[in-house]
Amino acid sequence: MTRTPERNAASGRAEGPGAEPTAIASGNRFVLAPEDPARRVTIRSTAQVQLFDGRNQAQNGWFVLQSMLPTDRTGKVLEWTIQPNSVPGWLRPPVIAHSQLGYTPDARKVATIELDRNDRRVQSARLLRVGEDGSFTPVRTPQATRWGDYLRYSYLQLDFSAVRQPGTYVLDYGTTRTAPFRIGADVYAGAWHPTLDVYFPVAMDHMFVNEGYRVWHGDAHRDDARQAPVNHEHIDLYAQGPTTDTPYKSGEHIPGLAVGGWFDAGDYDIRTQSQYQVIRSLVDSWERWHPMRDTTSIDWARRKTEIHVPDGTPDLVQQIRHGTLQLVAQFDAVGHAIHGIVEPDVAQYTHLGDASTKTDGLVYDPALKLGEERGGRSGTPDDRWAFTTKASALNYGSIAGLAAASRALAEVDPVLSKKALGIAVRIWTEEQGHAPDLYQHGNTTGGPIEAEKFAAAVELLRSTRDPKYVAAVQALWPAMEKSFAFNLRDAVAAIPSMPPSYRAAMIPAVRAYAAATETAAKANPFGVPITTGGWAGSGTVMATALNAYTLHKAFPEIMPADAVFRGLEFLVGHHPASDVSFVSAVGTVSKEVAYGNNRADFSFIAGGVVPGVLVIKPDFPENHEDWPFFWGENEYVIPEGAMWIELAQAAQELATAPAAQGTAK
């Protein structure tokens, strides 16, 4: 999710509120890391330079150098000369990209060796079997072959697909050696467990969440939520239009919203678009694989979650219920989907630590003085804001989420299931009775309206079998065909409920997509789409892999399953810049410093998925393991967590049918 950067305070020690920062050093010449030739940088200035330590004011603070521009001069008034040191003959150490989870015996197994373009050394790539006595026995493989250049590096590839013997292995190239990984039939089994067991419970808003001896956070945001002011552009891409579209005035408390939902990302807002995306993804996992895993106890009446304590109900269904409670609450409160619920100011936006300390948990009462509490209310205006301008795209997306949830909840909570479907049917009918509300702002007001409407029609069709939704799906299909890559999962989901002609009409788009996927796989040595925007591409990689799974299941004669495994392997280590798994606690070496609401601790949340490799223009692939505050590389977001749960199960399913990894014609 694109988001507002946190403030980087350029300050040293300050004396008292509002005081100017104090420089810790000054001069016309600074030498950084003089003891290390590989890191040494010299800065010379025509005016005095001051050094500040930004860490004195914020955990994400940097060391800052600044010079003050004179007020009484024109023309060239200041000049800095920055001189990095160059070490003759320096070569970046090789990286052996591979799956930290390992490989199934029948799988294609390719390790990609990333080299400095100036590295002309001839070295051997080897696969070594690890013995229980610690011995390393070389295993015969073909020699590594040159793939070519990509971005700023050169690449070799070692294909060891012929090695099928289960066991523990390492790879080495020259003096570089990987951590151990496995070859085994069950390498994918359980890869999604940390995400469901830990990451999603920790993300639960409006709950006290405990794990063993650790309280992740208390019962957060019991004071949700105040009506956002009209004509207001807010932080993190939220905005309120010219009216509230609710019965409530700006600043007034909207009752009923303090229930359900997940923290969107590394902060604490509830972004509605993320909520219904996650619900639908979790429902897909439930309906395809029906995982009965139960390691979490959730008590909504007491608003308490206990991690690693089973309660007799499948955890996946419980998480679906938690997201559904928030969507239902929005319609109950104001009659339509809202953009989301977010903190009122930047000071709260940057809050880290226990989410329950973000607000006082008491509904704001303007009749009380600041800090005064009376009758369960408070004079402190710290309550989060609800952004409520009507957007039909959000309504349609929420309809899809509610209709899908109704199927998954039918047995465990029939009352909520019936209510969710009732809202979905009613709001669909209402939307057909008026021109669409087209309000848009940032990425908080839904996706393209036709795509959201199509998703709503598909999920309503699957839940009701009503012929009117058959007609709606059919009418919207031509538009979806034009953007097939983004809507194919919904299109395929409708096939069982549509006439045979619908599937037949889809075949040309499937063939074109399969061909495009095969072509795109050749663009880099990792065989996946590597994005180059300001947010790294783990989500795009997983979406492409899940597209391949969906089409392979529906059109196996056209779409092979290769891309499913390439996508999963990319997430768990087969990618540029490093071999670290981008799913925390999954794989031998995984992401241990990430941008969740835990980031001030330089730690991780098990099962969280980070954006991954960010390509710094023009050609530098990067993912910092030592600095969590680069959110475009390291921020956990809930849709990617749900996608990982799907992808890991899809790979496990396909791994039981080795022929599925071959290439279809």
Side-chain angles (χ1 to χ4, degrees), residues 242-456:
T243 63
T244 66
D245 289 330
T246 75
Y248 302 97
K249 298 177 182 179
S250 297
E252 191 174 353
H253 177 70
I254 302 176
L257 292 174
V259 60
W262 302 281
F263 303 137
D264 169 52
D267 47 15
Y268 296 102
D269 64 308
I270 289 181
R271 177 178 178 263
T272 296
Q273 191 170 346
S274 295
Q275 307 298 306
Y276 61 69
Q277 287 174 336
V278 168
I279 290 170
R280 295 190 66 208
S281 181
L282 296 181
V283 170
D284 281 349
S285 285
W286 176 250
E287 293 184 329
R288 282 192 180 275
W289 300 289
H290 215 71
M292 300 302 290
R293 185 170 180 80
D294 172 23
T295 68
T296 305
S297 177
I298 301 177
D299 186 335
W300 282 279
R302 297 174 58 214
R303 303 170 70 97
K304 186 172 183 180
T305 297
E306 284 282 354
I307 297 175
H308 309 312
V309 178
D311 63 359
T313 303
D315 295 339
L316 198 67
V317 177
Q318 289 184 310
Q319 290 299 331
I320 293 168
R321 184 181 193 272
H322 192 69
T324 303
L325 287 171
Q326 172 58 210
L327 292 189
V328 167
Q330 293 181 13
F331 286 94
D332 283 349
V334 302
H336 60 269
I338 66 176
H339 313 177
I341 307 173
V342 67
E343 44 279 308
D345 55 54
V346 173
Q348 280 184 275
Y349 179 77
T350 58
H351 175 93
L352 300 177
D354 189 330
S356 67
T357 63
K358 194 178 186 75
T359 71
D360 60 13
L362 303 174
V363 172
Y364 171 63
D365 185 344
L368 301 177
K369 296 178 181 179
L370 182 66
E372 183 181 1
E373 297 179 6
R374 186 189 308 159
R377 297 202 164 224
S378 165
T380 302
D382 59 0
D383 309 22
R384 293 191 298 184
W385 289 358
F387 287 80
T388 59
T389 303
K390 282 185 178 178
S392 290
L394 280 176
N395 265 358
Y396 282 126
S398 297
I399 288 168
L402 290 170
S406 72
R407 301 192 301 270
L409 298 174
E411 293 185 10
V412 300
D413 192 338
V415 173
L416 182 60
S417 170
K418 183 178 180 180
K419 184 172 185 178
L421 184 56
I423 291 172
V425 170
R426 174 172 56 83
I427 299 301
W428 171 273
T429 301
E430 289 180 6
E431 284 290 342
Q432 309 320 300
H434 63 77
D437 296 302
L438 300 177
Y439 182 82
Q440 288 184 306
H441 183 80
N443 62 5
T444 57
T445 49
I449 189 168
E450 284 191 319
E452 298 280 29
K453 185 176 181 180
F454 183 72

Side-chain angles (χ1 to χ4, degrees), residues 367-633:
L368 301 177
K369 296 178 181 179
L370 182 66
E372 183 181 1
E373 297 179 6
R374 186 189 308 159
R377 297 202 164 224
S378 165
T380 302
D382 59 0
D383 309 22
R384 293 191 298 184
W385 289 358
F387 287 80
T388 59
T389 303
K390 282 185 178 178
S392 290
L394 280 176
N395 265 358
Y396 282 126
S398 297
I399 288 168
L402 290 170
S406 72
R407 301 192 301 270
L409 298 174
E411 293 185 10
V412 300
D413 192 338
V415 173
L416 182 60
S417 170
K418 183 178 180 180
K419 184 172 185 178
L421 184 56
I423 291 172
V425 170
R426 174 172 56 83
I427 299 301
W428 171 273
T429 301
E430 289 180 6
E431 284 290 342
Q432 309 320 300
H434 63 77
D437 296 302
L438 300 177
Y439 182 82
Q440 288 184 306
H441 183 80
N443 62 5
T444 57
T445 49
I449 189 168
E450 284 191 319
E452 298 280 29
K453 185 176 181 180
F454 183 72
V458 169
E459 295 292 12
L460 283 167
L461 174 60
R462 298 174 71 191
S463 296
T464 68
R465 306 298 181 184
D466 191 320
K468 71 181 179 182
Y469 302 119
V470 172
V473 169
Q474 198 72 63
L476 289 162
W477 160 247
M480 299 304 100
E481 186 177 18
K482 295 177 182 177
S483 54
F484 189 64
F486 300 100
N487 301 293
L488 68 85
R489 297 183 69 196
D490 289 329
V492 170
I495 288 176
S497 305
M498 296 292 288
S501 59
Y502 173 80
R503 182 186 187 278
M506 201 179 297
I507 289 175
V510 175
R511 291 194 184 281
Y513 182 86
T517 300
E518 184 177 355
T519 299
K522 300 174 182 177
N524 61 67
F526 305 98
V528 301
I530 296 177
T531 60
T532 58
W535 182 273
S538 291
T540 299
V541 171
M542 287 191 289
T544 302
L546 289 170
N547 280 353
Y549 171 81
T550 299
L551 292 181
H552 177 72
K553 296 292 289 185
F555 301 88
E557 72 282 6
I558 299 175
M559 188 73 192
D562 308 58
V564 179
F565 296 96
R566 291 198 303 268
L568 182 140
E569 289 166 10
F570 184 92
L571 264 290
V572 295
H574 188 237
H575 51 67
S578 77
D579 62 357
V580 172
S581 168
F582 292 145
V583 188
S584 291
V586 174
T588 311
V589 179
S590 68
K591 196 70 185 168
E592 293 186 351
V593 178
Y595 187 109
N597 46 55
N598 59 298
R599 58 190 175 276
D601 305 322
F602 283 65
S603 63
F604 66 93
I605 302 172
V609 181
V610 301
V613 176
L614 186 68
V615 179
I616 308 299
K617 301 295 190 293
D619 64 356
F620 182 64
E622 174 184 89
N623 182 275
H624 272 274
E625 181 62 12
D626 57 351
W627 189 247
F629 297 100
F630 289 139
W631 45 265
E633 300 175 6

